[in-house]
Amino acid sequence: MKFKKMAALAACGALAASLALFGCSSGQSSEQQGGSEPAAEEASYSLINEGKLTIATSPDFPPFENLEGEEYVGFDIDLGKAIAEQLGLEAEFTTIQFDGIVPAIQAGGQADVGISGITVDPERAESVDFTDPYYIADQSVAVMKGGDVTADNAAEALNAEGVIIAVQSGTTGETFAQENFPNATVQPYGNATDCFAAMQAGQANAVCMDMAVVDQMVSDAYTDAEVVLTEATGEEYAVAVSKDNAGLTEAINEAIKALEEDGTIEALTAQWLG
Ligand code: ARG
């Protein structure tokens, strides 16, 4: 389902011969690491800017992606840089609101890949290809401390008419809230941080999103909020790549494998999620 390697590699070669814009460049990772499958040496792919891996991200989701001033920071940012390095490329980040990332990768022209805590799901996989997963995530719900919803009654208390649950538009948190709290009003916001701001301002009663992000928001920025419910959804984060660029999916899979084997992913997990 995910990887149509051979067909797309062939297509890339054919197109490269006829289209100057469609530059197929060679993946360089396999030679540096040695011992990889020979198929990877032929992996070729197109890039919107030569020498650069242009990465779409929605930097509102610490510890995965966030902005410190102008600078992109977080687990996904370091991962994107490490993947680019494996490919002999420079990582360049571009901000796209989360619900626009998959459509942008599908449409092409704005970014080569999306790295933004994107959960692999069958619907998205109709629009883009996903690499192998690099992280497993769960869902959590936070509320302001001292209210009616507590860890003991959350499952019921959240599923009540009049309860407003803030979610980031187009996320698995939105789907999770709709499915598990059908009596509540699920209110989408474009930006994950806006969800917390809305709750703090009293415009929403709860926020539902990926556990590590809720944990970080609650411990860093919204210390007057608390987690009342966590569900092990076991979502897999992966890099989103255009279906027309299967050679890039292949090359990034090789890179992820190398970064797993050399301990980079473990070190990033300890650094950002430890
Ligand atoms: N994992 C969730 C999803 O795929 C949320 C990701 C939100 N990412 C972000 N950078 N805001 O729907």
Side-chain angles (χ1 to χ4, degrees):
M1 170 192 75
K2 290 184 202 160
F3 315 119
K4 293 171 187 155
K5 294 171 198 161
M6 299 323 291
L9 284 177
C12 185
L15 278 168
S18 54
L19 290 176
L21 277 174
F22 201 86
C24 289
S25 54
S26 280
Q28 295 162 8
S29 59
S30 50
E31 269 156 81
Q32 287 158 12
Q33 291 133 41
S36 337
E37 302 132 37
E41 318 242 341
E42 281 132 48
S44 56
Y45 45 80
S46 64
L47 296 169
I48 60 167
N49 280 312
E50 217 189 305
K52 289 192 173 150
L53 184 65
T54 307
I55 302 170
T57 195
S58 181
D60 55 3
F61 209 62
F64 294 98
E65 43 268 334
N66 204 9
L67 283 177
E68 265 171 23
E70 306 259 281
E71 205 196 332
Y72 291 87
V73 294
F75 178 99
D76 282 343
I77 306 306
D78 286 350
L79 180 70
K81 288 178 184 166
I83 288 172
E85 201 184 335
Q86 288 285 326
L87 305 185
L89 301 170
E90 196 191 318
E92 187 151 288
F93 293 92
T94 181
T95 295
I96 297 182
Q97 180 171 303
F98 184 77
D99 59 10
I101 294 178
V102 165
I105 297 303
Q106 182 180 23
Q110 284 184 74
D112 298 309
V113 297
I115 307 184
S116 201
I118 306 174
T119 300
V120 177
D121 86 358
E123 204 179 311
R124 292 173 181 165
E126 282 173 21
S127 310
V128 292
D129 281 343
F130 283 106
T131 63
D132 294 333
Y134 61 84
Y135 182 77
I136 309 291
D138 298 319
Q139 290 295 314
S140 281
V141 178
V143 300
M144 299 310 285
K145 285 178 185 163
D148 298 339
V149 181
T150 63
D152 290 335
N153 71 9
E156 246 176 85
L158 290 167
N159 187 25
E161 223 164 295
V163 170
I164 300 173
I165 303 176
V167 297
Q168 185 172 27
S169 170
T171 59
T172 49
E174 181 175 27
T175 320
F176 180 87
Q178 285 165 344
E179 284 172 0
N180 289 279
F181 314 116
N183 296 329
T185 301
V186 176
Q187 179 66 51
Y189 291 85
N191 191 297
T193 43
D194 285 352
C195 295
F196 277 87
M199 179 171 74
Q200 198 173 45
Q203 289 153 9
N205 304 98
V207 171
C208 177
M209 67 182 57
D210 302 30
M211 181 182 83
V213 178
V214 174
D215 285 348
Q216 169 111 8
M217 292 283 203
V218 164
S219 62
D220 280 11
Y222 296 90
T223 49
D224 43 357
E226 65 182 345
V227 176
V228 287
L229 187 144
T230 292
E231 181 71 31
T233 51
E235 300 170 37
E236 296 179 337
Y237 289 1
V239 180
V241 187
S242 163
K243 286 189 181 288
D244 298 331
N245 211 357
L248 187 56
T249 303
E250 161 91 351
I252 292 176
N253 278 338
E254 289 292 323
I256 290 174
K257 203 165 123 203
L259 295 168
E260 251 154 24
E261 281 168 8
D262 74 5
T264 302
I265 291 189
E266 207 184 320
L268 290 181
T269 307
Q271 181 189 343
W272 292 104
L273 295 138

